[in-house]
Amino acid sequence: MISRIVGGCLFVFCLGIPAGVIGLHRFGVLPATAVNFQLDVTTDDRESVVIEEETRPDERPIPPDRARDLRKFPYPYRAMFAFASDIDGTTPREFAVYHRFLNTKEMTPAGPGLGLDVGDTFWMYNGSDDRSKVDFRGESGDAVMTFNRFLDPQTYKNAHMIKHYFDAGWIDGMHTFGNFSRSDKNDVVFSRELAVAAWENLRKFGIRPVYWINHGNEANKQNFGDYNPFKFSRYQAGDDPKSPYYHTDITIQNGVRFVWNSVGETQFGQDSPIFPIQLRDGQKIWGFHRFTHELVNGRINWAWAVENGNFDRYLTKERLDGLMANRQYCIFAQHFGGSTSEFPFYLPKDVEALRRLADYHYSGKILVARTSRLLNYSVAQQFVQYRIHRKNGKTHISILSINDPLFGKQEVTIDKVRGLTFYVDDPANANILINRKPLPKAEIQVNPPDETGRASIGIKWFAPDTKDYSQTAPAD
C-alpha cells in the first residue's frame, strides 16, 4: 500500500494536482468521495469529466449519431410548412382582414378562422411611383402599410402598428427596406442613408427581423444574394461594398440571417429549406427556398397571387401527402394583400384548400409555422450539438450549443431549440438538459412510437396563439 501511495504522489507531481487526483482515484488509492475540486476547463470539458467520473463502466456516454438520435420534425409531424408573404399592396385594413382568417378562430366572411401560425413582412418606405389601386375602396399605393411616410425616415406612418404586429408574431420578416420600384428602372431613389436610418428606427422600436425577402424591379438596388453580371440579377447592389446602395454590413449586423434572393422555384418540397450564400462583401448568409410558380406549356404560372385563386391548385391532397412521404419542408410564397377584393379568400375552392392545410396541421401531419420559426428550427435541427449518457438506468440528453457553420456557435435558449425531438428507448426515463439544467416537465413532451416504431422525447413546440391582435392594433 505504501508503495502505491508513493507512486501515486509521483503521479500527482508529474501530471499536476487535478489530473493526478483523478489518477489516484482510478488506481484505487483515493475513494470516490475524495474527488471534490473545481477544474479550470471549459463547460464542455467539465461536463465530460463529470459524466465519466459519475457513471459506471457500463453507463458511459453514448457517441452522438444524428441520423439515429434526432427526429427530423417535431413529433408527431412528418413535414413543415410556412407561408412567406410579401407585403405588396397591403393596406392596414387588408392586413387585419386576412390575418384574422389565417391566425385566429374568430368569425370571418369565410367562416371561422384557421387559427394557424402565419407570419408576414413589412416595408419601411414607399418610394414607388405606381399609383394603381390596391384596395376595393379605390385607395392607391399611398395607402399601403409602411413604417415611415414615403421616404422620410423622420416621419412615422404605421410604425406603432407594425411594432404591435411584430410583437404578436403576425409580422416576422422584412420585404426589403421598402418599395422602390419605378416605371423608369434607372430612376433609383434608394440610398444607404435610408438603410442606416431604417435600422436606427428598428432598433429604437425593438424590431429585429431574422429574414429578408427581395422585392421588385431593377430600381430596387437594395436587393442582394443572387448577383450575376450575365443574368437579370446584375442590378443587385445591396452586398457590393463599392456601391452607394451597399447595406448588408449593417443588415446582417442587425440580425438578418436568411434571405430569399429573388430566385423563383417550381419545387414544392425541399429536404432542407436553407442553403449557404457567399455575398460580395465576404459575408455569408443562409438563402432559403420559396415555391413561387410552376411551368405550364413552357410558361410561368405564378403561384403567389392570391387573387388568381391558386390555393386549390397547389394545396392539394396529393402535394401535402407527398410533402409528408418525403419528409420535406415547404415555404409557399404569397402576396396575401395583393387582392383588390374586400376579402381575399372569396373563392370557396380556395377556402376549402386552406382548410385542408389546417386539417393536416391539427391532425399532426404537417406543422404549419411562421417563416422565421421554420427557418430557425431547420438550423437548430441540423446543427445542434448534444451529448447523451445513461446513469442509473436513465437517459440524459444535454443540449450544448447550436454550431451554425455560417454565424458561429450560438448559446442555447429554450426558444431556439423548441421542437427538437430525440429518439430514446424509454422516454419515460429520459430528460433533457439545457446549459446543464434539466428542463421543467411542463416543457417536455414524451412521445409514443411514431411511424418508424421508435419512441421519443422532445421539447414542446411554441404554444398556439389564436388571439385576434387586430382588435388592439394602434391606429397610428
Side-chain angles (χ1 to χ4, degrees), residues 124-159:
M124 296 297 295
Y125 309 109
N126 184 2
S128 174
D129 56 0
D130 184 1
R131 295 296 178 265
S132 301
K133 304 304 180 185
V134 298
D135 191 88
F136 81 103
R137 296 172 176 174
E139 296 175 302
S140 71
D142 297 348
V144 170
M145 186 168 68
T146 57
F147 192 98
N148 294 107
R149 187 169 298 281
F150 298 112
L151 298 176
D152 182 4
Q154 304 302 319
T155 306
Y156 298 144
K157 183 173 181 283
N158 305 118

Side-chain angles (χ1 to χ4, degrees), residues 229-249:
F230 306 107
K231 292 170 54 180
F232 171 78
S233 59
R234 60 185 174 272
Y235 74 92
Q236 293 187 3
D239 61 338
D240 180 4
K242 299 177 181 179
S243 168
Y245 313 114
Y246 175 57
H247 66 83
T248 49
D249 58 334

Side-chain angles (χ1 to χ4, degrees), residues 214 318 474:
N214 279 350
E318 291 72 24

Side-chain angles (χ1 to χ4, degrees), residues 287-302:
F288 66 92
H289 301 284
R290 288 208 305 172
F291 170 64
T292 56
H293 67 281
E294 65 179 1
L295 295 175
V296 180
N297 298 323
R299 300 182 63 181
I300 291 179
N301 184 41
W302 296 108

